[in-house]
Amino acid sequence: MNKISVLGCGRWGSFIAWYLATKKGKEVWSWGPEGDYSYEVLKNTGRNEYVTLDKSIVLTCDLAKAVTRAEIIIISISSQGVRGFIEKIKACGDVSEKYFVLCMKGIEVETGERLSQILIDAGIAKDRIAVWVGPGHIQDFTAGIPNCMVIDSYNVELKKMLADDFKSDLIRFYYGNDIIGTEIGAAAKNVMGIAAGVLDGGGISTLKGPLMSRGAREVARLIKALGGNELSAYGLAHLGDYETTLFSHHSHNRMYGEMLVKGQKFEKLAEGVMTAAAMKKLGEKLGVELPITDAVYDICFTDSPLNNKDGKNLCMDIILKLFSRDTKFEF
């Protein structure tokens, strides 16, 4: 399948369009809403801070045309906007024969649903939905540094078809084994990335080792409670991507946490903020203990000033209170 439309032309969407056109020779259209900053930059300059669009890529703000001509529709927008956006896509015409690939990581705050579930709610057949997640930063990919990623789906044949078709010397794909674990793990790594940034900003980066270990256990418990395979937390979608996030200066979520603890404002999208809120609600609903997630939520949503009356940094206080929890068996 060569006709692909990438809906969303921000950081990740523009990279995917670039990758599929230049590395795989696909007929790619890149869509963004007229007036949107990311779209206007590409329209006016043909490039952004991450990629230069190949001349074969058709840039458009006409959603109906982008949807109608595509065999595969790749969605890369803010995760909290998926429910409304899929209705706009459906309004463009019959999409029953199209394949949908979700390339963002998140959990809907209001419902606690995974992004594929939102598409199913909207009437998209589950065997026509896939997710594309995993480690890797655009700056490294465009510099020729390869990495591994995951494509997962309810449909085994679809995930195999996409992974085999999209692989290159730049991205080695694996077939996902558990779409629940893949989606939850991918979303949760952004929450842990914020925690890592707080540790970096607070000058205690050595705690990122325990954070990786205990964070993965925490996410494994949530995956299991949702009906997935808890071992998924230790795969590429979570722990693999998590490790990349924790140590990369390119990570938005890690940088958000680092700047937050320093009292600075991060201007770009950090999906882990809203994912922390969604995971907190899920944990409470399912009776799953998520202490690191709860701490990140408190850090992101506290109304208190950065420093309390004693001059202590509240972000660090919240993280370090995890050490006062009762002793327990590791597993």
Side-chain angles (χ1 to χ4, degrees):
M1 295 186 181
N2 284 318
K3 292 183 178 180
I4 297 174
S5 287
V6 181
L7 308 183
C9 56
R11 179 176 63 153
W12 191 236
S14 62
F15 165 73
I16 290 171
W18 172 88
Y19 172 78
L20 292 174
T22 61
K23 299 295 292 186
K24 301 304 302 179
K26 302 294 185 182
E27 299 172 26
V28 178
W29 281 32
S30 176
W31 171 88
E34 188 171 16
D36 176 74
Y37 175 78
S38 297
Y39 172 76
E40 294 297 330
V41 166
L42 288 173
K43 183 178 75 171
N44 293 329
T45 68
R47 65 186 307 277
N48 57 25
E49 60 183 302
Y50 306 105
V51 299
T52 297
L53 289 186
D54 188 80
K55 294 187 183 300
S56 68
I57 297 172
V58 176
L59 183 66
T60 182
C61 61
D62 191 324
L63 183 61
K65 286 184 178 179
V67 168
T68 301
R69 53 83 57 183
E71 298 167 296
I72 297 174
I73 296 172
I74 295 178
I75 303 176
S76 180
I77 65 169
S78 171
S79 62
Q80 301 304 316
V82 170
R83 190 173 295 275
F85 189 56
I86 191 63
E87 293 301 328
K88 292 180 180 179
I89 292 172
K90 287 170 57 186
C92 294
D94 182 17
V95 295
S96 61
E97 297 301 312
K98 301 183 186 297
Y99 292 104
F100 289 84
V101 182
L102 298 168
C103 291
M104 57 286 202
K105 305 161 185 176
I107 303 167
E108 190 175 49
V109 174
E110 289 79 6
T111 65
E113 288 193 339
R114 293 174 285 112
L115 305 186
S116 68
Q117 289 177 297
I118 295 172
L119 264 63
I120 293 169
D121 288 348
I124 306 299
K126 66 191 300 184
D127 65 354
R128 303 191 77 84
I129 301 169
V131 297
W132 173 352
V133 298
H137 288 292
I138 295 162
Q139 295 90 333
D140 292 335
F141 281 134
T142 54
I145 301 170
N147 215 321
C148 302
M149 303 193 81
V150 176
I151 291 182
D152 211 339
S153 174
Y154 301 93
N155 181 344
V156 175
E157 294 308 313
L158 176 59
K159 76 178 82 173
K160 288 184 175 180
M161 183 269 287
L162 291 171
D164 291 344
D165 190 28
F166 289 173
K167 69 181 180 182
S168 72
D169 58 355
L170 195 59
I171 301 178
R172 171 180 169 80
F173 283 103
Y174 283 82
Y175 310 132
N177 292 90
D178 167 32
I179 194 165
I180 294 174
T182 296
E183 288 191 90
I184 294 296
K189 75 94 186 177
N190 286 330
V191 177
M192 302 304 164
I194 292 174
V198 172
L199 297 179
D200 285 338
I204 49 176
S205 299
T206 52
L207 285 179
K208 288 198 288 188
L211 173 65
M212 287 164 59
S213 176
R214 298 313 302 165
R217 280 301 300 143
E218 181 169 312
V219 173
R221 290 195 297 270
L222 181 59
I223 289 171
K224 183 178 180 180
L226 288 166
N229 182 346
E230 62 182 315
L231 290 177
S232 296
Y234 305 99
L236 284 169
H238 181 65
L239 190 58
D241 201 357
Y242 184 4
E243 291 174 352
T244 300
T245 293
L246 261 62
F247 296 102
S248 174
H249 64 280
H250 297 312
S251 168
H252 281 189
N253 291 282
R254 194 207 61 78
M255 184 57 70
Y256 176 91
E258 180 176 341
M259 294 180 70
L260 188 65
V261 78
K262 292 178 178 179
Q264 301 168 354
K265 187 174 178 59
F266 184 69
E267 300 291 347
K268 297 181 179 180
L269 176 66
E271 288 275 23
V273 175
M274 298 310 296
T275 303
M279 286 177 61
K280 180 178 173 65
K281 287 177 67 174
L282 274 178
E284 292 169 349
K285 177 182 177 181
L286 298 168
V288 178
E289 195 176 24
L290 304 174
I292 299 172
T293 298
D294 291 344
V296 171
Y297 174 85
D298 290 342
I299 288 168
C300 292
F301 291 96
T302 182
D303 292 327
S304 303
L306 181 66
N307 296 313
N308 64 17
K309 62 182 180 180
D310 298 322
K312 293 182 180 179
N313 187 295
L314 289 180
C315 293
M316 294 306 299
D317 267 5
I318 291 168
I319 287 290
L320 293 175
K321 279 180 182 177
L322 292 169
F323 280 82
S324 65
R325 299 176 69 246
D326 292 340
T327 306
K328 57 188 63 181
F329 287 101
E330 186 177 12
F331 296 101

